[in-house]
Amino acid sequence: MSRYYSASDFVQLSNQHKAELQKQLQQNQEAQSLNAQHAQELVGREQAAQKELLEVLLPELSQGALQRAAALCNYPVLVQRDLIGEMGRTAAQVRARIGELEADPRYQDRQLLRAPRVGTLTRAIDELMEFRAPLQDVVQRCAHPRLDRLMQSGYGTAKYDTPFWRLSYYSDWRAADEILEKFPNKSSFAEVREEFTSACSTLSVYDKKLKDLRDEVAAGEAVEREIATRQAELLDLPAQTLEHARQLLGTYLRDSDPADVKGLEQAPQVEGMYKRYIGLKKQGEYLRQAGQHYLESDQLLLRTNIDKLDKQIVKYSQPRKMGQMIPGEVVERQEQSVRSRVDKSQKHLQGYSQTHYAVYTFDQYDRASLARDILWWDLMSAGRLHGDYLSDVSEYRQRNPWYTPGATGYGVDADDLVEAQAAAQAARAGRARGRSEEARRDVS
Amino acid sequence: MRIDERTGCALLKERFTQAGYDIQDNYAFAEGDVVFQMDGFDPARRVGFEYITTEAGDRQELHPGLLSALEQRLSQGHLHVLLIDEDEVDGAEALRQAADRFLAHVRGLVGGAS
C-alpha cells in the first residue's frame, strides 16, 4: 500500500525543502555579489593599465612621439589628423580673440572706470547710493500693509471719500497714525504723503541711472573674465590636445584586433603593457559572462522553485486542507525535484568557482603572442574548463573551425601550431581518400 | 484677525452702551426700502451698528441694493450706523478704537447721548 502524508506533514516537509533551496540561493547570491565586486575591480585595473600604456606610447605632444605611436600601433590616423596643426590653429583663434578683447576700451580703461573707490563708474555708483539713502529711508519708514490703500484712496487729501460709517475709514485712520508716528517732524499724514511721493519719484530716476551704471560695470567685468578664460584655455591647449590624442589611440587599441598592433613587438616593454591591458579586458569580459551563464539563470530557477513551494505551503496550511492526505508519490516527486535542483545548482556553483579562480587570478599576460590569433580563454583555463558560452570562444571558433579547447597556444608556440594544423588537415584528407577507395572497391 | 459675529457684537454693544446708548439686540429695522435685522440699534437716538458676517447670512440679507439704500440714508444723516465687514476687522483693539471714534464723530454731529 502506498504511503500517504497528512497536510501538516506535507507542509513541514515542504518547508524543509524550501530551506534547502534558500540555502542554495544564498550561496548563489554571495557568488554573484563577489562576481560583481571582482568584475568592477577588473574594470578599474583595466582602465589603469590602459592609462599607463597610453602614457608610455604617447609621453608628450610632439610630431616625433605621434609618429612613433602611430607606427607601433599601426594607426596612421594619429598622424593624419594633424593634431598639432589643429592645436596651432585653435591657439591662433584664441589669441586673436584675446587681442580683440584687450583692445576693447572697457578693458583698456578698466582701472579708470572700475577701480574700487576711485573708478569713474565706481564713484558714480557710490554717489548715487549716497543720495539714494535718505530717500530709501523715507520709503522704508512708510512701509505698512495698508500703505497702498492710503495712497490709492487719497487719504489725507480732498480726494478721500470713504464714509465715516465704514470700518475701513477707521482702519485707514489707524494706519495713517502708525505711519505718522515714524515722522516726528510731520504733523499730518498729508505731509508724509507728499514726502513719500517725492521720494518714490526721485528714487525711480536714481534707480534707472544705477541700473545703467551697474550694467556698464558688469559688461566691463565680463570682458575681463573672458580674457582670463581664454588665457587659461591657451595655456591648457597642449595638455588637452595630448589627452585627446591619447583618447583616440585608446579607443583604437580597445576596439582593434591585437593582430593589427603587431608593430608593438618592436617595443617589448610597451608590448608587455599592451598584453596586460588586453588580458585584463578579457578577464573582465569572461568574469561577467561566467556570472551570467552560471549564476543568473540558476538564481532564476531557484527562485521559481521556491515560489512553487511557497504556494504549496500556503495551500496546505489552510484549515480546510487539514484533513487532506497527500500521496507519497507527490512528496517523492517534490523531493526529487528539489534534490535535482540543488545538485544542478551546486554543479553550477562549482563550475563558476573554477572559472572565477582561473580568470580572476590569471596574471601571465606575457604568454600571449601578438603574432598569432590566440584565445585568451585557453591561456587562462589551460583548455580544462568549459567555455562555449563565452562570446570570445564562439567568435574564435568561427575564425578557426579546427579549434579544440586547449589547442590555441597554452604552452604551444607558433611553429608547433602550424604543424598541428597541417597534420590535422592531412589526417582529414587521408580519411576522405580512404573512404572513396573503399567506396570504389564496394562498387567493383 | 477675524472676530466672530457674537464676540464682535458684544464688543460693540459694550462701547455703544458705555457711550450712553440704549442698544437693542437684533433690532427689526424697517424704513422704506431698507428692511433688515440690525445687530444693535438705539431706535430713540437712531444710532447703531451692523456686523456683516458670512456666518450670519448678512451678505444675503444686506445685498448691494439694500446696502446702497441704507448708505443713502446714512449720508443724509437720518440715522448713524457703523458698518463693519468681518473681513476688514484687525483685532479687538482696532474694533474698539473704531467704535469709539465713530461715536465721537456722531457726538460731534448730533451732540452727546447723555
Side-chain angles (χ1 to χ4, degrees), chain A residues 335-348:
Chain A
E335 173 117 15
Q336 273 162 17
S337 167
V338 168
R339 187 87 13 256
S340 166
R341 183 76 261 133
V342 167
D343 287 346
K344 282 179 188 163
S345 192
Q346 281 290 335
K347 283 199 176 88
H348 284 152

Side-chain angles (χ1 to χ4, degrees), chain A residues 190-247:
Chain A
E191 289 176 26
V192 172
R193 179 193 188 87
E194 204 182 308
E195 189 167 348
F196 175 75
T197 307
S198 166
C200 286
S201 170
T202 312
L203 272 174
S204 167
V205 171
Y206 284 177
D207 285 349
K208 164 91 183 46
K209 184 70 188 154
L210 263 173
K211 182 180 181 311
D212 292 342
L213 289 168
R214 285 182 173 140
D215 285 348
E216 230 182 293
V217 166
E221 285 172 348
V223 171
E224 288 183 68
R225 270 197 307 274
E226 194 185 338
I227 289 173
T229 303
R230 296 290 183 166
Q231 282 168 343
E233 194 187 322
L234 203 55
L235 276 172
D236 199 43
L237 210 45
Q240 276 207 7
T241 308
L242 178 58
E243 184 51 36
H244 181 49
R246 283 175 178 164
Q247 275 171 8

Side-chain angles (χ1 to χ4, degrees), chain A residues 165-166 168 170 174 177, chain B residues 71 81 83 88 97 101-102:
Chain A
W165 55 81
R166 285 221 172 237
S168 49
Y170 302 100
R174 186 181 171 92
D177 281 352
Chain B
E71 289 203 270
V81 177
L83 300 174
E88 289 190 12
Q97 188 186 60
R101 283 178 167 175
F102 169 78

Side-chain angles (χ1 to χ4, degrees), chain A residues 411-444:
Chain A
V412 177
D413 68 20
D415 292 337
D416 286 352
L417 203 57
V418 166
E419 202 177 297
Q421 282 175 5
Q425 277 168 359
R428 275 198 296 275
R431 281 195 295 277
R433 270 199 306 279
R435 278 196 295 276
S436 45
E437 274 175 22
E438 207 173 303
R440 270 202 301 278
R441 274 201 300 276
D442 286 346
V443 167
S444 65

Side-chain angles (χ1 to χ4, degrees), chain B residues 9-104:
Chain B
C9 288
L11 190 154
L12 290 164
K13 184 173 178 181
E14 190 259 327
R15 301 317 295 161
F16 277 59
T17 305
Q18 202 164 18
Y21 293 97
D22 180 19
I23 294 294
Q24 292 180 27
D25 295 330
N26 300 314
Y27 181 82
F29 185 90
E31 287 182 17
D33 295 340
V34 184
V35 178
F36 73 103
Q37 198 163 53
M38 204 184 297
D39 287 323
F41 190 62
D42 178 340
R45 292 186 180 83
R46 300 179 65 72
V47 172
F49 57 84
E50 173 61 22
Y51 199 94
I52 304 169
T53 65
T54 307
E55 176 201 346
D58 296 327
R59 299 190 198 279
Q60 282 82 43
E61 195 186 14
L62 280 150
H63 54 79
L66 192 143
L67 207 51
S68 175
L70 172 62
E71 289 203 270
Q72 176 78 7
R73 286 175 170 267
L74 294 176
S75 69
Q76 287 160 357
H78 293 165
L79 69 166
H80 303 289
V81 177
L82 178 60
L83 300 174
I84 303 110
D85 190 318
E86 64 174 342
D87 293 337
E88 289 190 12
V89 174
D90 195 20
E93 179 48 40
L95 186 59
R96 212 173 275 121
Q97 188 186 60
D100 290 348
R101 283 178 167 175
F102 169 78
L103 291 165

Side-chain angles (χ1 to χ4, degrees), chain A residues 17 39 108 110 164-165 170 184 196 206 209 215 223 287 310 325 331 355 368 374 382 384 392 418 430:
Chain A
H17 293 156
Q108 297 217 328
R110 60 195 179 284
F164 75 91
W165 55 81
Y170 302 100
F196 175 75
Y206 284 177
K209 184 70 188 154
D215 285 348
V223 171
L287 202 60
D310 270 335
M325 298 305 286
V331 176
T355 303
I374 63 134
R384 289 195 281 268
D392 212 27
V418 166

Side-chain angles (χ1 to χ4, degrees), chain A residues 83-230:
Chain A
L83 293 168
I84 293 177
E86 216 174 276
M87 180 182 76
R89 285 185 289 279
T90 305
Q93 282 168 359
V94 173
R95 276 192 209 99
R97 178 63 184 150
I98 291 174
E100 271 171 31
L101 292 166
E102 283 177 344
D104 188 320
R106 291 174 294 185
Y107 178 75
Q108 297 217 328
D109 297 334
R110 60 195 179 284
Q111 288 301 322
L112 180 67
L113 292 168
R114 295 185 297 280
R117 292 188 308 281
V118 300
T120 53
L121 289 176
T122 321
R123 279 206 333 260
I125 289 170
D126 288 346
E127 235 171 51
L128 268 173
M129 289 301 287
E130 229 179 273
F131 294 156
R132 200 181 174 280
L135 302 172
Q136 183 62 20
D137 178 63
V138 165
V139 168
Q140 271 165 359
R141 277 190 282 157
C142 285
H144 190 286
R146 227 172 154 85
L147 177 65
D148 279 350
R149 150 111 191 133
L150 293 178
M151 297 307 292
Q152 278 158 23
S153 63
Y155 190 90
T157 72
K159 182 186 158 208
Y160 186 69
D161 62 359
T162 303
F164 75 91
W165 55 81
R166 285 221 172 237
L167 178 63
S168 49
Y169 179 87
Y170 302 100
S171 304
D172 290 342
W173 185 347
R174 186 181 171 92
D177 281 352
E178 285 167 358
I179 293 171
L180 185 57
E181 265 171 40
K182 295 179 197 168
F183 291 85
N185 58 331
K186 306 267 182 251
S187 56
S188 71
F189 185 79
E191 289 176 26
V192 172
R193 179 193 188 87
E194 204 182 308
E195 189 167 348
F196 175 75
T197 307
S198 166
C200 286
S201 170
T202 312
L203 272 174
S204 167
V205 171
Y206 284 177
D207 285 349
K208 164 91 183 46
K209 184 70 188 154
L210 263 173
K211 182 180 181 311
D212 292 342
L213 289 168
R214 285 182 173 140
D215 285 348
E216 230 182 293
V217 166
E221 285 172 348
V223 171
E224 288 183 68
R225 270 197 307 274
E226 194 185 338
I227 289 173
T229 303
R230 296 290 183 166

